[in-house]
Amino acid sequence: MKIAFFDTKPYDKPSFDKFGGEKGVAFKYFETKLNEDTVNLARGYDGVCAFVNDTINDVVIDKLSEMGVKVIALRCAGFNNVDMKHAFGKIHVLRVPAYSPYAVAEHTMALLLTSIRRIHKAYIRTKDFNFSLSNLTGFDLHGKTVGVIGTGRIGRVFIDICRGFGMKVLAYDKFPAKGLDNGDTIRYVELDELFEKSDIISLHCPLTEDTHHIINQTALEKCKKGVVILNTSRGALVDAEALLQGIKSRKVGAACLDVYEEESDLFFEDNSGHIMEDDTLARLISMPNVLVTSHQAFLTEEALENIAETTVNNIVQLFNDGQCPNELCFRGDSAEDCKTGKCF
Ligand code: NAI
């Protein structure tokens, strides 16, 4: 099986070569992202392997299908960048539903601790032998209330970590998990209550029509003064302009962002020699209480191995058995023939 691998980074190759080599899947690595301009590179391949910032819209899907490409193997969990409805009946879409919820949840806590204990400031000071503690006062997490939106795999690991710190948890999920609410230290509440009572809010839900800009001006107005916003999920969950205004008005005490709505042309690349065109991102990054990492939360050795192994297994299963448990499918208007039963 020959797979065209888009948006390749050096850290992708060792694990994909290892698992691909074991299972007879040959990857051709392209540095470019998959989009309308680059889709022709996939000609002659059995499938494409894509990541979070590839643009898999109707045009790309039609072109892939026309060229006889059978499968889009996403090497990530989220699939908001794929027009799933359009893909139905034309091409198989596979994903890696879970690879290491610990990687993302631990990165979220790393950002939170770095931010509120001013580690990013202290690191730079002590590198310059500046041992002053002025303006480095933080606050204890113990006893604080964290609002967790999305209590799936990553959200639940993050809740466990927060409970280890002695924090109280207010949770919100469209589909609450059974047995999580203990009526005391972990409680499911409506969004408004979560906004009103949380000292820290962390986003762990997918990006959908329901969750687009779930943190916007109206939400921020309901929040406590000094609220800390954590987003390691998807950029468009947060209205970045509203967040910036919240920071400027001092309503938001700090923000830690691993994702950004307009990240696709910026994140994962070295833009240090370029003029930053995105004024909102530039202004956010300039703030002393905003930390930005560039979609790094997944990046652990364990996660990279799991991603490669699952992606290769997905491809092999689909080509050998005609179906794969990690296939995604958006049930169209006439979906009686849906084989996976996992329609969204
Ligand atoms: P999951 O599918 O296990 O959990 C998502 C949870 O969100 C589910 O409990 C679901 O019921 C809930 N949900 C769905 N719609 C909702 C709504 N409208 N309001 C509130 N909750 C809603 O997914 P998992 O593995 O925990 O991943 C969560 C998100 O993390 C992914 O969607 C992805 O966007 C992001 N992610 C980010 C990474 C990074 O490197 N920064 C890496 C991996 C995932």
Side-chain angles (χ1 to χ4, degrees):
M1 282 155 278
K2 290 189 331 184
I3 305 291
F5 193 105
F6 286 87
D7 201 10
T8 310
K9 294 288 178 288
Y11 49 76
D12 290 318
K13 290 185 190 175
S15 43
F16 274 90
D17 280 343
K18 174 181 153 194
F19 290 106
E22 286 171 8
K23 298 276 175 80
V25 180
F27 292 103
K28 168 74 180 173
Y29 296 104
F30 295 106
E31 285 186 18
T32 182
K33 292 190 179 60
L34 175 59
N35 55 38
E36 292 177 26
D37 297 329
T38 61
V39 62
N40 278 322
L41 290 168
R43 190 175 294 283
Y45 289 90
D46 302 304
V48 295
C49 184
F51 197 47
V52 292
N53 288 322
D54 292 308
T55 306
I56 308 169
N57 59 15
D58 51 347
V59 178
V60 170
I61 289 166
D62 285 342
K63 193 79 198 169
L64 289 172
S65 168
E66 251 170 64
M67 294 190 301
V69 175
K70 301 275 182 308
V71 62
I72 298 166
L74 297 172
R75 54 183 191 279
C76 53
F79 49 90
N80 52 286
N81 55 333
V82 184
D83 185 339
M84 288 304 305
K85 203 160 189 174
H86 198 78
F88 183 81
K90 293 196 173 80
I91 195 161
H92 297 279
V93 183
L94 315 177
R95 69 162 177 162
V96 183
Y99 37 90
S100 172
Y102 310 103
V104 182
E106 288 172 15
H107 189 80
T108 311
M109 181 50 84
L111 285 173
L112 175 59
L113 284 172
T114 303
S115 170
I116 66 158
R117 300 308 302 269
R118 315 279 192 267
I119 305 293
H120 54 308
K121 297 283 175 195
Y123 175 80
I124 292 169
R125 279 192 197 179
T126 54
K127 278 276 173 199
D128 201 27
F129 305 107
N130 173 354
F131 301 116
S132 158
L133 293 181
S134 302
N135 297 320
L136 294 185
T137 309
F139 62 82
D140 291 3
L141 287 178
H142 187 268
K144 295 292 184 301
T145 299
V146 60
V148 177
I149 301 179
T151 55
R153 282 168 281 246
I154 296 169
R156 286 206 298 274
V157 174
F158 186 65
I159 287 172
D160 285 346
I161 293 172
C162 290
R163 289 293 307 130
F165 278 79
M167 300 168 84
K168 293 182 203 120
V169 177
L170 295 178
Y172 173 78
D173 197 299
K174 197 171 175 183
F175 310 99
K178 285 200 183 87
L180 184 64
D181 186 326
N182 61 15
D184 180 21
T185 48
I186 306 175
R187 285 195 304 119
Y188 274 112
V189 292
E190 290 303 318
L191 260 188
D192 277 357
E193 186 177 345
L194 184 148
F195 289 142
E196 283 157 21
K197 295 188 176 162
S198 298
D199 301 296
I200 295 144
I201 295 175
S202 197
L203 300 171
H204 299 290
C205 55
L207 175 61
T208 63
E209 280 177 17
D210 287 349
T211 60
H212 184 262
H213 287 185
I214 197 166
I215 300 294
N216 56 18
Q217 190 192 336
T218 319
L220 289 174
E221 278 165 7
K222 292 175 188 156
C223 290
K224 282 187 177 180
K225 185 165 165 43
V227 64
V228 178
I229 303 291
L230 310 173
N231 187 9
T232 56
S233 211
R234 282 293 179 269
L237 296 174
V238 174
D239 177 346
E241 192 52 43
L243 180 68
L244 178 59
Q245 293 313 317
I247 298 270
K248 285 165 84 173
S249 68
R250 278 58 171 180
K251 177 78 186 225
V252 175
C256 302
L257 311 173
D258 186 51
V259 284
Y260 177 66
E261 186 162 8
E262 304 299 333
E263 73 180 46
S264 62
D265 291 332
L266 296 169
F267 280 20
F268 302 109
E269 307 297 337
D270 180 359
N271 284 291
S272 56
H274 299 268
I275 305 293
M276 173 54 61
E277 300 283 354
D278 186 323
D279 288 348
T280 308
L281 181 61
R283 193 79 174 95
L284 279 169
I285 286 177
S286 76
M287 296 290 180
N289 52 352
V290 175
L291 281 184
V292 175
T293 50
S294 66
H295 212 132
Q296 183 188 337
F298 75 99
L299 195 62
T300 65
E301 287 172 12
E302 291 81 358
L304 287 175
E305 288 257 314
N306 289 342
I307 288 169
E309 187 173 21
T310 308
T311 306
V312 167
N313 287 340
N314 284 347
I315 294 167
V316 170
Q317 260 183 321
L318 186 84
F319 280 99
N320 287 351
D321 307 341
Q323 54 185 352
C324 164
N326 291 332
E327 177 160 11
L328 287 167
C329 136
F330 194 114
R331 190 183 282 267
D333 293 327
S334 60
E336 278 73 26
D337 58 345
C338 175
K339 295 192 182 66
T340 67
K342 291 202 162 193
C343 293
F344 285 80

